[in-house]
Amino acid sequence: MAQIGLADVDDPAQWVQKEFISSAPMPPPRSINTVSIKQGYLELSNVDENVQIVEMMRILRLCEANQRSLRSMIAP
């Protein structure tokens, strides 16, 4: 049977983040005492799928409109 381990570090600010670049500020590290794992619970994401799909459709339409305007400028 697998077990989940928790670890606490002396200075989380010394950690180096690799292969991920973000301009968003990192949340402050939480103490190991504030973490809890509960059996039978599902983790929820912080993303609303409906909002993301609508945003993707909006961006797709903007790209298509840009393509049409570029084609009309290039066409003789």
Side-chain angles (χ1 to χ4, degrees):
M1 177 179 252
Q3 291 186 352
I4 297 175
L6 295 176
D8 200 4
V9 295
D10 294 330
D11 188 10
Q14 296 297 320
W15 282 19
V16 177
Q17 195 171 3
K18 294 186 178 182
E19 296 183 21
F20 179 78
I21 298 172
S22 174
S23 60
M26 294 292 292
R30 295 194 301 174
S31 169
I32 195 168
N33 298 328
T34 63
V35 176
S36 65
I37 299 175
K38 298 180 181 178
Q39 184 174 349
Y41 283 71
L42 293 177
E43 180 180 359
L44 299 176
S45 72
N46 58 353
V47 175
D48 184 359
E49 299 90 4
N50 295 328
V51 171
Q52 294 302 316
I53 290 172
V54 169
E55 182 66 11
M56 286 174 45
M57 291 170 54
R58 185 184 73 80
I59 292 170
L60 176 64
R61 289 184 180 137
L62 284 172
C63 289
E64 290 172 344
N66 285 334
Q67 280 182 331
R68 283 193 299 272
S69 65
L70 286 173
R71 284 186 186 141
S72 67
M73 283 190 236
I74 295 173

